[in-house]
Amino acid sequence: MCIAMSRQQRVAAIHDISCFGRCSLTVALPIISSAGIECSVIPTAVLSTHTGGFTGFTYRDLTDDIAPIVDHWKTLDLKFDGIYTGFLGSFEQIDIVSDTFDRLRDENTLIVVDPVMADNGVLYPIFPENFPQGMRKICSKADVVIPNITEACLLLGEEYREGPYTKDYIESLLRRLSDLGPEKVILTGVHFDNEELGAAAYDAGTGSIDYAFRDRIPGYYHGTGDVFGSAAVTALISGKSLAEANRIAVNFTVGSLLRTKEAGTDIRFGVDFESGISELLKELGIGR
Ligand code: PXL
């Protein structure tokens, strides 16, 4: 009998820990781990809750901890199949995270940047106005970027527009985002009418653009971008194509939203992605 030994995949997730209100690491870690991928973390900040809709949250900036964590990791000769970044705790972290890519990557590492900084046309108030220029810098080093439309506009230095959008507009955003450096772009919040909402995936290597849509669910729920990004990273590291990863991430996010809406949960508490993990694993070809 021949037993093939395959090395377990390993991802470094660089996001904040929002202690309550499912987003960032409390979402990335369980989703990535659920698929049998080892998930190491570099926390960028520790907050009592995320910043969306809560007041009085605590905020501990971990800017000074990132380089020493990476220094220590460098003594361990670790290999990373992926590096996935999200919410950064300060403007100074942009250069530190950019150096971290250079220090942890090898030729096989997939760098995925979710330029978490804005939504619904507005930069999160916690960030300075020049934050998008910094984010552009780390996006230029990524293999895959996952912005929403607001973040895409900020990265490209142009006015945010309300949807519905035209195909020409979306495809122009995708191509111009890829021109910043990343070969692959997944753009969320895409809609051509008021009935359906989804995401577009562009691969500059093949020139292909693929869309995934589901019926729009009314209401705004926090943390869905991180649920989407974590599912997309999990699918990509599991060997799925960009188009498949996009479709899987849309379905996982919509399932999480539907359960949360049905349960009547406070929109600030994040979405019930946990109950969708077995379905996600089936989509990935891992579950029974
Ligand atoms: O889900 C994005 C996110 C992550 N982390 C923190 C946030 C937000 C969005 O508001 O506040 C701390």
Side-chain angles (χ1 to χ4, degrees):
M1 191 170 74
C2 168
I3 300 171
M5 296 283 285
S6 65
R7 191 180 60 78
Q8 193 181 6
Q9 306 274 82
R10 178 187 291 133
V11 166
I14 307 179
H15 304 244
D16 70 286
I17 298 175
S18 287
C19 299
F20 178 77
R22 291 163 289 193
C23 69
S24 39
L25 282 182
T26 62
V27 165
L29 189 47
I31 294 174
I32 293 168
S33 297
S34 74
I37 299 164
E38 179 184 344
C39 186
S40 313
V41 301
I42 301 184
T44 57
V46 179
L47 298 83
S48 50
T49 65
H50 60 71
T51 65
F54 295 105
T55 51
F57 51 83
T58 67
Y59 192 95
R60 183 171 301 275
D61 175 11
L62 296 181
T63 300
D64 293 341
D65 293 79
I66 299 176
I69 291 170
V70 179
D71 291 344
H72 185 213
W73 284 7
K74 287 301 286 177
T75 68
L76 303 174
D77 194 26
L78 303 174
K79 301 257 173 273
F80 290 95
D81 302 286
I83 301 175
Y84 167 37
T85 73
F87 182 97
L88 302 185
S90 68
F91 190 82
E92 299 75 63
Q93 286 186 14
I94 285 165
D95 281 337
I96 299 170
V97 167
S98 172
D99 285 347
T100 300
F101 290 164
D102 298 333
R103 299 182 70 200
L104 295 183
R105 87 185 307 176
D106 62 30
E107 65 284 2
N108 299 314
T109 308
L110 187 76
I111 297 195
V112 183
V113 172
D114 182 346
V116 173
M117 59 181 164
D119 209 353
N120 293 317
V122 184
L123 183 70
Y124 293 145
I126 197 163
F127 293 128
E129 251 180 56
N130 59 350
F131 201 75
Q133 284 131 51
M135 268 298 182
R136 191 180 308 149
K137 182 171 165 186
I138 56 170
C139 284
S140 72
K141 283 194 167 177
D143 300 298
V144 186
V145 291
I146 314 184
N148 60 36
I149 301 225
T150 308
E151 290 157 348
C153 292
L154 287 168
L155 289 170
L156 295 169
E158 64 184 44
E159 278 295 291
Y160 170 75
R161 297 194 212 164
E162 296 274 345
Y165 304 104
T166 63
K167 226 173 176 182
D168 280 352
Y169 176 66
I170 294 300
E171 299 193 353
S172 150
L173 287 179
L174 290 168
R175 291 201 174 85
R176 286 180 297 129
L177 287 164
S178 174
D179 289 343
L180 298 178
E183 182 173 73
K184 298 182 171 76
V185 178
I186 299 181
L187 182 63
T188 61
V190 172
H191 55 118
F192 298 133
D193 55 42
N194 290 319
E195 276 73 59
E196 289 191 318
L197 182 64
Y202 173 54
D203 184 337
T206 61
S208 64
I209 297 180
D210 292 274
Y211 293 94
F213 290 109
R214 293 280 301 267
D215 288 347
R216 175 189 280 274
I217 301 153
Y220 178 86
Y221 286 82
H222 288 274
T224 51
D226 297 331
V227 169
F228 182 94
S230 301
V233 165
T234 302
L236 289 170
I237 296 290
S238 302
K240 297 292 177 195
S241 69
L242 187 76
E244 269 290 274
N246 184 37
R247 191 189 57 75
I248 288 170
V250 166
N251 286 339
F252 184 61
T253 308
V254 170
S256 306
L257 271 162
L258 285 170
R259 279 187 296 276
T260 310
K261 195 168 177 62
E262 174 75 26
T265 312
D266 187 320
I267 59 161
R268 300 171 302 171
F269 290 7
V271 290
D272 174 8
F273 68 87
E274 295 91 341
S275 308
I277 282 182
S278 56
E279 191 59 38
L280 172 67
L281 298 187
K282 268 187 229 147
E283 290 235 46
L284 292 170
I286 301 171
R288 282 181 289 146

